[in-house]
């Protein structure tokens, strides 16, 4: 406006400034979307530093959250930096956001097995786990007819921090209890016809 007041033709200057602004805006488009997503993440707080999260196909512990990126450390101690626009645009699963988790442990047993006995053995093993929270909530069910076996599922509630160790302990305990009771976990069967 001042240049126009002194008689300069500002049409070309305005076009040049507009083109430069458009170029800068397009160049910063990714950064601006990451900034906006970072602000939304800081306001909404779907996770905090130290939470175990699953973002897209990445799982790890949140190490740092800033305005542009989220940094997580995976189980192999690799540092993964994810742009905040990608985090906000994908499903966020906060695995450690709750104090308890339910273990779903499927086991296949032979078709000749007594399913009531199988379920009783699995329930007893689930109830005997020290990390289990509520014995009444330990359930066995979910019978599935599979190719080579009956599928039976143990459901047990544990503290989130104890999830992986309890799951491993349950696998070992169920295998030992099945061996003691003579319950067979079958190999897959295939029939080859020529």
């Amino acid at each position: 406006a001042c240049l126009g007041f002194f008689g300069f033709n500002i049409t070309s200057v305005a076009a040049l400034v507009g083109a430069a602004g458009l170029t800068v805006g397009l160049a910063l488009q990714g950064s601006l979307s990451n900034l906006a997503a970072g602000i939304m993440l800081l306001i909404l707080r779907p996770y905090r530093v130290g939470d175990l999260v699953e973002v897209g196909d990445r799982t790890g512990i949140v190490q740092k959250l800033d305005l542009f990126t989220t940094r997580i450390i995976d189980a192999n101690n690799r540092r993964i930096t994810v742009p905040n626009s990608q985090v906000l645009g994908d499903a966020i699963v906060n695995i450690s956001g709750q104090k308890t988790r339910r273990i779903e442990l499927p086991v296949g047993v032979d078709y000749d097995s007594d399913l009531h006995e199988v379920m009783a053995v699995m329930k007893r093993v689930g109830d005997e786990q020290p990390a289990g929270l509520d014995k009444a909530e330990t359930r066995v069910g979910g019978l599935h007819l599979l190719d080579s076996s009956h599928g039976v599922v143990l459901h047990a509630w544990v503290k989130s921090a104890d999830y992986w160790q309890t799951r491993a302990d349950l696998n070992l305990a169920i295998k030992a209890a099945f061996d003691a009771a003579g319950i067979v976990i079958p190999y897959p069967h295939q029939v080859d016809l020529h």
Side-chain angles (χ1 to χ4, degrees):
C2 289
L3 290 175
F5 180 73
F6 289 113
F8 288 100
N9 185 2
I10 60 168
T11 306
S12 60
V13 174
L16 183 63
V17 169
L22 179 64
T23 303
V24 169
L26 288 174
L28 294 177
Q29 180 181 2
S31 297
L32 291 175
S33 67
N34 285 331
L35 175 66
I39 291 170
M40 291 301 293
L41 288 171
L42 289 170
I43 292 171
L44 298 175
R45 293 280 187 196
Y47 54 82
R48 300 180 188 281
V49 172
D51 284 352
L52 178 63
V53 297
E54 183 179 304
V55 177
D57 61 347
R58 298 169 185 88
T59 302
I61 296 174
V62 177
Q63 185 182 41
K64 184 179 180 185
L65 169 62
D66 62 26
L67 286 177
F68 295 98
T69 61
T70 296
R71 185 167 52 200
I72 62 176
I73 304 296
D74 72 359
N76 296 323
N77 204 30
R78 296 180 301 174
R79 181 173 32 184
I80 302 168
T81 303
V82 185
N84 282 338
S85 60
Q86 187 176 350
V87 172
L88 197 62
D90 215 338
I92 302 169
V93 179
N94 190 337
I95 297 169
S96 61
Q98 302 298 322
K99 294 179 181 178
T100 59
R101 286 184 69 185
R102 186 176 79 171
I103 294 174
E104 293 184 5
L105 190 63
V107 180
V109 297
D110 193 74
Y111 271 105
D112 294 333
S113 299
D114 178 1
L115 291 179
H116 295 290
E117 179 186 9
V118 168
M119 294 170 69
V121 168
M122 289 177 71
K123 172 92 167 101
R124 187 187 76 239
V125 168
D127 287 344
E128 291 173 354
Q129 286 301 310
L133 293 177
D134 186 357
K135 305 307 179 199
E137 288 296 320
T138 302
R139 300 185 193 282
V140 179
L143 299 174
H144 305 285
L145 301 175
L146 306 173
D147 291 342
S148 305
S149 62
H150 278 291
V152 185
V153 182
L154 171 72
H155 299 277
W157 286 93
V158 295
K159 293 177 185 170
S160 291
D162 297 332
Y163 178 85
W164 291 108
Q165 187 61 52
T166 303
R167 186 177 175 88
D169 292 346
L170 280 170
N171 270 315
L172 290 172
I174 287 173
K175 173 69 169 99
F178 279 6
D179 289 346
I183 299 170
V184 176
I185 299 174
Y187 292 104
H189 300 291
Q190 289 183 338
V191 177
D192 192 10
L193 298 174
H194 295 282

